[in-house]
Amino acid sequence: MKFDILIIGGGLAGLTCGIRLQKNGVKCAIVSTGQSALHFSSGSFDLLNELADGTKVDNPVAAADKISANHPYAKLGNNFAYYVREAKQQFLDCGIEVNGDAEHNHLRITPMGTLKPTWLTFSDFTPLSSANDIAGKKILVVNMAGFLDFNTKFVADSFEKYGAECRISSINLPELERLRISPTEMRSTNIARVLENEKTLEALILELTGKISGFDIVALPAVFGLSSAASVKKLKESLDIPVWLIPTMPPSVPGIRAQQQLRRSFEELGGVYMLGDTVVKADFSGNKVQAVYSVNHGDISFVAENFILASGSYFSNGLVAQPDSVIEPVFGSDVDFTPGRDSWYDKAFFNKQNYMTFGVATDDKLRIKIKGDAQRNLFAIGSVLSGSNTIHEGCSAGISMLTALYVADNLIKG
């Protein structure tokens, strides 16, 4: 099978890159092992929340020139602000409604009810400017009876620490009762499917209408709008007070919807998306990849002019930690890591973890290095790259999207 470009990894980075390339007439295929990290999304996309030294960032665009020289953003040159705008526009072009801008991080509500800074947030959720948006409010926190992936007590306690007055309630509908026959069925995606039925959604809205009198806000788990945002919009338009949807524990309903919309956009542009296959090895000629091979296709190779590694970090096996090293398993790419396993981590779980900065070594064009030499047609994008601690710095989605667009544009220009 032959393509102009083969992308290994079908998450946010791979799809962002593929959509950009397909829009410009470049024939792409994406090989994706499994589900994207978007399936675990909190509903927001971080760009830059902290610098490596712990300095808090309010304006990512203004702070971009303060990042370290080995950070993926540094390889964008002076294009950081441009690609920030392009990334948000691509979401909108794909029908994914987001709020936020890169010149001022807003606050998002976490599944625990706490507030964290972020760049973009799905329109399902309510962006906040400060904790003052919660203080003094009477908030009704409502769950679906038996749904364990949304902890109303944690959420209410967090809101009350910010100065709100909360009450907890639950809703029980016959349609949801059927899901509770088996605890494994009472998951966010299954609830969302039930609530896509117009009559069931109307019954839920009627129940809520009888509960919200005297409250300023009603908070609900984000279990609406699996296939489209229509049920979210109807819910918000039908109630007389603001509805705050709160992210649940995974899986993420709005995250899955976004993944589906990105994939749909890629395929509508002519891209080929192969889910459930894993690229395992490659053929080289000098400093150029000739072909790659996957589990499902055996000896049938994938041939392309260029190859892009968007395989993610440890979670998706884009990187594999061994007793004394960290490897990239497909191409044998050079990986930046520090020797001595004891230096990789801090025993205090919530402290900054050094291993998160490890990743594939690249040149300024994000061409992968192997034995110190940049490969002519092999690139890396997203969280497989070295140089950033995406959790500590709050930059995961930004790195995925901005490096994807950067590599795509360089390939389009030739």
Side-chain angles (χ1 to χ4, degrees):
M1 288 180 280
K2 187 171 183 179
F3 302 91
D4 294 333
I5 293 177
L6 184 79
I7 301 171
I8 301 164
L12 181 59
L15 281 165
T16 298
C17 190
I19 290 169
R20 184 76 154 201
L21 290 164
Q22 285 290 155
K23 280 186 175 180
N24 286 273
V26 182
K27 184 180 179 183
C28 298
I30 291 176
V31 179
S32 180
T33 298
Q35 302 300 348
S36 158
L38 282 169
H39 285 236
F40 305 90
S41 170
S42 65
S44 294
F45 300 88
D46 294 341
L47 181 62
L48 186 63
N49 297 338
E50 288 187 15
L51 298 178
D53 63 5
T55 302
K56 302 295 182 184
V57 171
D58 178 62
N59 184 333
V61 171
D65 60 354
K66 299 176 183 177
I67 57 176
S68 59
N70 62 336
H71 195 286
Y73 286 157
K75 299 185 179 182
L76 304 177
N78 297 321
N79 296 312
F80 180 81
Y82 168 73
Y83 282 122
V84 165
R85 294 191 298 271
E86 291 295 292
K88 180 178 180 180
Q89 189 59 50
Q90 182 163 295
F91 270 145
L92 299 175
D93 291 344
C94 292
I96 300 171
E97 296 182 17
V98 289
N99 297 312
D101 65 74
E103 295 181 348
H104 180 69
N105 282 329
H106 63 268
L107 297 176
R108 64 179 176 92
I109 303 173
T110 73
M112 303 296 287
T114 57
L115 300 180
K116 298 290 184 184
T118 195
W119 165 41
L120 298 176
T121 296
F122 291 133
S123 60
D124 301 39
F125 301 104
T126 302
L128 305 178
S129 58
S130 73
N132 290 332
D133 293 337
I134 296 177
K137 299 292 194 299
K138 292 184 178 181
I139 303 176
L140 179 65
V141 183
V142 180
N143 196 12
M144 314 303 165
F147 179 46
L148 302 180
D149 292 335
F150 178 65
N151 194 309
T152 52
K153 183 70 164 60
F154 285 165
V155 172
D157 285 351
S158 294
F159 285 172
E160 289 184 342
K161 287 178 182 178
Y162 293 125
E165 178 185 335
C166 295
R167 196 176 83 191
I168 294 171
S169 184
S170 65
I171 284 182
N172 189 10
L173 299 176
E175 293 80 4
L176 296 177
E177 187 71 44
R178 299 188 187 101
L179 295 179
R180 281 193 293 277
I181 295 173
S182 169
T184 60
E185 294 298 315
M186 199 63 179
R187 305 303 301 275
S188 59
T189 49
N190 294 330
I191 295 172
R193 290 188 184 97
V194 170
L195 293 176
E196 286 191 335
N197 179 282
E198 191 171 343
K199 289 185 178 179
T200 305
L201 181 61
E202 288 174 353
L204 180 137
I205 291 170
L206 185 61
E207 286 276 337
L208 286 171
T209 301
K211 292 176 178 287
I212 61 175
S213 178
F215 290 93
D216 301 311
I217 295 160
V218 58
L220 293 156
V223 291
F224 303 85
L226 185 61
S227 61
S228 79
S231 58
V232 176
K233 292 177 180 177
K234 181 170 183 178
L235 172 68
K236 292 184 175 184
E237 291 170 356
S238 300
L239 297 178
D240 293 331
I241 62 174
V243 176
W244 286 4
L245 295 184
I246 312 297
T248 68
M249 300 299 288
S252 164
V253 170
I256 292 172
R257 187 175 77 237
Q259 169 75 11
Q260 292 171 339
Q261 286 174 281
L262 288 171
R263 177 178 174 178
R264 189 180 305 119
S265 294
F266 174 68
E267 292 179 326
E268 287 174 351
L269 289 165
V272 176
Y273 193 95
M274 290 174 275
L275 179 63
D277 200 0
T278 303
V279 174
V280 291
K281 63 179 182 178
D283 288 337
F284 287 85
S285 176
N287 291 340
K288 188 174 182 180
V289 180
Q290 298 295 313
V292 298
Y293 300 85
S294 73
V295 171
N296 291 355
H297 290 82
D299 293 334
I300 301 173
S301 65
F302 293 94
V303 178
E305 291 297 318
N306 292 283
F307 297 83
I308 299 173
L309 184 67
S311 53
S313 189
Y314 306 96
F315 179 74
S316 56
N317 290 322
L319 299 173
V320 177
Q322 297 186 328
D324 58 355
S325 64
V326 177
I327 66 167
E328 182 279 301
V330 177
F331 298 101
S333 311
D334 293 350
V335 175
D336 292 326
F337 69 95
T338 55
R341 192 179 181 92
D342 288 347
S343 69
W344 293 3
Y345 59 90
D346 190 308
K347 290 182 180 179
F349 182 78
F350 291 104
N351 286 353
K352 185 177 180 180
Q353 302 297 330
N354 192 33
Y355 68 85
M356 289 300 298
T357 65
F358 303 164
V360 168
T362 63
D363 67 4
D364 287 344
K365 297 293 185 183
L366 295 182
R367 292 179 297 191
I368 289 174
K369 294 181 180 180
I370 299 178
K371 296 181 180 178
D373 294 327
Q375 305 301 295
R376 291 164 55 195
N377 67 337
L378 178 59
F379 301 81
I381 59 176
S383 57
V384 75
L385 292 165
S386 68
S388 67
N389 189 313
T390 55
I391 293 177
H392 179 75
E393 297 168 19
C395 57
S396 178
I399 287 175
S400 291
M401 298 191 76
L402 272 58
T403 59
L405 293 170
Y406 174 71
V407 166
D409 281 359
N410 284 335
L411 289 171
I412 291 164
K413 294 171 186 174

